[in-house]
């Protein structure tokens, strides 16, 4: 049986990635009140790089050989920025709001493609885009006394994530999955160094298990999400992945007593509906990646929808 013909397994991986992502986000929100965001991100990428170190030692130079260094850098920068915006928002707004705004990334992809690759947005996609952005407006609630700058920062994570997702898709046309992830973790770790150094504060010993757990969670999230697309199509994985909004809402309610009102719930439904419709209309590729040998083509299926995962 083909991997893509096992939707139940794919949906299970997607559900697992949604749960792990929500728990990791809740842990980050807790730690962010006691540890600088830059330190959380640095340790997160350090843990991911260390997990991949045995693979690097085994394959040595062949693991790092690439002709797409600029694209790797773009993915690392956009992924790092996405996490920074997401974590900054997490420390100031409800967990479910931050998660929902980050999940608006599929709505931003057509706009990023228009700016980056000059790919025009088909007429059929304007309706889900408009619906999704109306939902975002309801969540942001622009007004003199109601608009939160941290909600805007949270939406910045979606824009950055969209750039990361598109650059990952470009890389997947010619690069194996572990090389993409290695460059992502390692380059992002290097980008984190200056800000971490300037913002460094002593970290209490009791918080180190939380920080290491967050790093392991992010790596596990990427693996689960990648495996979901190995076994099932985007039309199955995407709707299940939005369950992280439900998990985040429950965790926010149980831990911080955050209860969304009717306007926020309506906005959430519009964002989720618009995102699913946008992904559903994305059956045909918007652009043609370079022709590649069959050996590397299989790896692109695995990483085609990798988050930075969730980068």
């Amino acid at each position: 049986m083909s991997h893509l013909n096992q939707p139940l397994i794919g949906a299970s991986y997607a559900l697992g990635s949604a749960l792990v992502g929500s728990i990791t986000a809740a842990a980050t929100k807790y730690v962010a009140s006691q540890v600088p965001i830059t330190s959380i991100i640095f340790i997160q990428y350090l843990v991911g790089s260390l997990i991949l170190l045995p693979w690097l030692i085994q394959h040595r130079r062949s693991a790092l050989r690439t002709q797409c260094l600029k694209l790797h850098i773009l993915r690392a920068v956009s992924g790092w920025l996405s996490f920074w915006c997401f974590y900054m928002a997490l420390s100031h707004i409800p967990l479910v709001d931050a998660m929902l705004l980050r999940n608006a990334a599929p709505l931003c992809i057509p706009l990023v493609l228009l700016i980056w690759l000059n790919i025009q947005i088909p007429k059929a996609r304007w309706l889900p885009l408009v619906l999704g952005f109306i939902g975002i407006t309801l969540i942001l609630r622009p007004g003199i006394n109601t608009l939160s700058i941290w909600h805007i920062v949270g939406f910045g994570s979606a824009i950055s994530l969209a750039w990361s997702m598109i650059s990952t898709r470009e890389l997947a046309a010619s690069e194996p999955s572990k090389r993409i992830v290695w460059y992502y973790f390692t380059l992002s770790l290097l980008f984190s160094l200056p800000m971490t150094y300037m913002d460094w504060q002593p970290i209490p010993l009791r918080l180190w298990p939380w920080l290491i757990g967050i790093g392991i969670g992010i790596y596990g999230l990427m693996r689960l999400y990648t495996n979901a697309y190995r076994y099932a199509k985007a039309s199955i994985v995407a709707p299940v992945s939005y369950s992280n909004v439900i998990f985040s809402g429950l965790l926010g309610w149980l831990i911080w007593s955050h209860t969304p009102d009717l306007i926020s719930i309506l906005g959430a439904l519009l964002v989720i509906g618009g995102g699913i419709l946008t992904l559903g209309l994305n059956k045909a590729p918007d652009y043609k990646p370079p022709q590649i040998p069959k050996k590397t083509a299989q790896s692109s299926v695995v990483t085609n929808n990798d988050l930075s995962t969730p980068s």
Side-chain angles (χ1 to χ4, degrees):
M1 181 182 291
S2 171
H3 281 333
L4 281 174
N5 289 330
Q6 301 182 56
L8 185 59
I9 296 177
S12 299
Y13 274 119
L15 190 64
S17 72
L19 181 59
V20 171
S22 300
I23 294 173
T24 302
T28 302
K29 183 174 179 64
Y30 167 73
V31 172
S33 62
Q34 306 167 73
V35 179
I37 297 297
T38 50
S39 298
I40 297 174
I41 296 175
F42 175 80
I43 295 170
Q44 164 185 303
Y45 288 129
L46 177 61
V47 171
S49 298
L50 291 175
I51 291 174
L52 286 168
L53 192 57
W55 168 81
L56 179 66
I57 294 173
Q58 180 183 358
H59 295 278
R60 299 184 180 180
R61 291 184 179 181
S62 63
L64 301 179
R65 192 177 297 118
T66 181
Q67 297 180 346
C68 308
L69 184 58
K70 291 182 179 180
L71 206 52
H72 280 294
I73 292 174
L74 174 61
R75 195 218 174 191
V77 171
S78 57
W80 182 93
L81 184 59
S82 177
F83 271 115
W84 184 85
C85 290
F86 180 50
Y87 289 169
M88 287 297 292
L90 270 178
S91 61
H92 292 87
I93 65 177
L95 175 63
V96 66
D97 285 7
M99 185 67 75
L100 187 59
L101 289 169
R102 180 175 169 82
N103 278 349
L107 297 172
C108 302
I109 287 178
L111 300 177
V112 173
L113 287 172
L114 177 63
I115 296 170
W116 183 12
L117 300 175
N118 197 28
I119 295 173
Q120 300 300 313
I121 302 174
K123 293 180 179 179
R125 295 192 183 181
W126 279 107
L127 177 59
L129 285 178
V130 170
L131 289 176
F133 280 106
I134 289 175
I136 291 170
T137 303
L138 291 176
I139 297 169
L140 296 179
R141 300 185 194 182
I144 297 176
N145 299 318
T146 57
L147 181 59
S148 166
I149 184 65
W150 298 114
H151 280 83
I152 297 175
V153 171
F155 183 57
S157 71
I159 299 173
S160 304
L161 181 58
W163 281 92
S164 180
M165 292 169 73
I166 295 170
S167 58
T168 301
R169 178 177 175 180
E170 288 281 303
L171 284 167
S174 58
E175 298 277 75
S177 59
K178 284 193 175 179
R179 183 185 298 161
I180 295 174
V181 176
W182 166 258
Y183 270 106
Y184 171 64
F185 277 116
T186 305
L187 290 175
S188 297
L189 179 67
L190 294 176
F191 296 147
S192 302
L193 274 173
M195 293 185 66
T196 304
Y197 176 77
M198 291 185 293
D199 204 25
W200 180 260
Q201 297 176 12
I203 299 174
L205 187 61
R206 62 182 176 81
L207 292 178
W208 277 101
W210 288 85
L211 293 169
I212 295 172
I214 289 170
I216 295 173
I218 293 298
Y219 179 81
L221 165 66
M222 289 188 175
R223 292 300 301 269
L224 287 168
Y225 195 69
T226 297
N227 284 335
Y229 279 96
R230 185 196 298 252
Y231 287 97
K233 297 179 180 178
S235 58
I236 294 173
V237 174
V240 176
S241 297
Y242 274 104
S243 61
N244 60 11
V245 176
I246 299 174
F247 293 138
S248 298
L250 289 173
L251 289 171
W253 174 62
L254 290 171
I255 301 172
W256 293 280
S257 300
H258 291 157
T259 305
D261 56 23
L262 289 177
I263 294 178
S264 296
I265 292 173
L266 177 59
L269 292 174
L270 288 173
V271 170
I272 293 172
I276 292 174
L277 284 173
T278 299
L279 291 170
L281 292 170
N282 197 30
K283 294 179 180 178
D286 289 320
Y287 57 95
K288 295 180 179 179
Q291 295 297 317
I292 53 176
K294 290 184 178 180
K295 283 187 177 180
T296 58
Q298 187 176 0
S299 66
S300 69
V301 175
V302 177
T303 59
N304 195 30
N305 294 279
D306 185 21
L307 280 189
S308 55
T309 316
S311 65

